[in-house]
Amino acid sequence: MTTLPYFCYFPKDMGYKIAHLTLAEDGAYHRLLRLCWTTTGCTIPNDITWIARKCLCRSQDDIDVLQSVLDEFFHIKKDRYYNKRLLEEYDKSNAKHKARVDAGKRGGHAKSLKSNNKSSSKALAKTKQSSTNHNHNHNHINNHTVNYNFIPKELNKNTKTYKLIEKHMTSDELELQLEKFIAYHTDKQTKSTDFNRQWRAWLQNNVQWKLEKTGDKSVKQYNTNTKLKEIGDSRRKRRGELLNELQAQGLAKSV
């Protein structure tokens, strides 16, 4: 099943077990819980490089904090980390969710049997309404919410975005922008069918802002007016070339 976007949190239990942690360790602990919950099976690979990448670690100190929390609160089974209490809650949530889904299916089946006993005109109306609801639900399902497990698609090296990032943004800055992007859309509870497109736009806007702030003119600044002017100039050039060809063939008169 699709991982539920929430899990039960018990402040007293958590407070007692992690009261001795530093602020950094506390943050790493909760980030690991979120990462586990949003990963299939509520477990994560026994790969500190992979985990550090997902948790947006930026230094060896961050990785050391992460490893200490993993050693104290997580166990390894079949080469994957898991948190015992979180996994129990995960299994309970799955069971409850499955029960609700099964109940919904049984209720839908009963309704369909009842609908079949209605007149043909009402059945047609019901069919039309069901089709509308289906389309609505389909659109709703396709709108996803970004989460901490979001991995942007690799940028095409031939695109403007890639060239801007390669020239004007370090790997640390890129990681920071990814964290800000996820935090922003998580807070806004943004729903989108293409977060990768929004991620590319976010990067472009960030570089443009950086260039404007520093006054760097090494990369041409693009805005709507500039882009429209370039399109217009290109079209006029093509029309001029076509007119010259027609004139050379005697198919058009010189003005």
Side-chain angles (χ1 to χ4, degrees):
M1 60 164 280
T2 302
T3 301
L4 293 174
Y6 59 87
F7 60 83
C8 292
Y9 188 88
F10 303 92
K12 288 186 178 180
D13 293 348
M14 295 290 187
Y16 173 75
K17 293 179 180 178
I18 65 175
H20 62 288
L21 296 182
T22 65
L23 188 62
E25 290 170 338
D26 187 277
Y29 176 75
H30 286 89
R31 184 162 290 187
L32 285 168
L33 291 182
R34 295 196 299 270
L35 179 58
C36 280
W37 189 267
T38 54
T39 304
T40 302
C42 200
T43 64
I44 53 179
N46 179 15
D47 182 350
I48 191 60
T49 301
W50 184 90
I51 298 173
R53 168 70 177 82
K54 293 290 186 180
C55 291
L56 303 178
C57 291
R58 299 192 184 85
S59 66
Q60 186 59 47
D61 289 341
D62 289 345
I63 297 175
D64 292 342
V65 169
L66 205 63
Q67 187 64 65
S68 67
V69 173
L70 285 168
D71 293 342
E72 183 173 357
F73 296 99
F74 290 77
H75 308 281
I76 298 177
K77 183 178 181 180
K78 295 182 179 179
D79 207 32
R80 295 184 71 86
Y81 278 108
Y82 72 94
N83 177 275
K84 185 175 181 297
R85 177 63 181 274
L86 187 68
L87 189 58
E88 291 174 356
E89 296 301 326
Y90 181 85
D91 291 337
K92 290 178 184 178
S93 297
N94 275 352
K96 291 179 181 178
H97 179 76
K98 186 177 184 301
R100 288 195 294 268
V101 171
D102 291 342
K105 288 180 179 179
R106 289 194 296 271
H109 180 65
K111 287 182 180 179
S112 65
L113 291 176
K114 185 177 180 180
S115 297
N116 288 336
N117 294 326
K118 294 183 179 180
S119 64
S120 59
S121 60
K122 290 184 177 180
L124 288 173
K126 187 68 176 178
T127 301
K128 184 176 181 180
Q129 181 181 1
S130 298
S131 176
T132 302
N133 289 338
H134 172 75
N135 291 333
H136 171 75
N137 292 335
H138 179 73
N139 293 333
H140 177 70
I141 291 172
N142 284 339
N143 283 325
H144 303 292
T145 303
V146 75
N147 56 51
Y148 285 93
N149 207 29
F150 172 69
I151 305 176
K153 291 183 179 178
E154 186 175 356
L155 293 173
N156 187 326
K157 294 185 178 181
N158 296 322
T159 61
K160 182 183 74 175
T161 304
Y162 180 88
K163 293 175 181 178
L164 286 174
I165 299 308
E166 185 179 38
K167 188 171 184 178
H168 296 283
M169 190 174 288
T170 66
S171 58
D172 288 340
E173 288 175 326
L174 187 61
E175 291 288 348
L176 177 60
Q177 289 306 316
L178 177 59
E179 184 175 359
K180 288 183 176 180
F181 176 84
I182 294 173
Y184 174 82
H185 288 291
T186 300
D187 291 341
K188 295 290 185 181
Q189 295 184 335
T190 308
K191 292 187 179 297
S192 174
T193 57
D194 190 355
F195 274 111
N196 283 288
R197 177 179 57 81
Q198 293 184 237
W199 168 237
R200 292 192 298 272
W202 178 285
L203 291 176
Q204 290 179 12
N205 292 336
N206 180 263
V207 172
Q208 296 292 350
W209 175 84
K210 182 179 179 181
L211 293 176
E212 291 174 3
K213 183 178 179 180
T214 59
D216 188 343
K217 303 298 182 183
S218 59
V219 172
K220 189 173 184 180
Q221 298 296 301
Y222 282 90
N223 55 44
T224 303
N225 293 332
T226 302
K227 194 65 178 177
L228 290 176
K229 183 177 183 303
E230 289 182 356
I231 294 173
D233 292 342
S234 177
R235 288 175 177 171
R236 282 190 290 274
K237 181 180 178 182
R238 289 200 300 272
R239 287 200 297 270
E241 292 172 349
L242 178 60
L243 179 60
N244 292 335
E245 291 179 8
L246 295 176
Q247 289 173 351
Q249 299 173 17
L251 299 176
K253 295 181 179 180
S254 300
V255 179

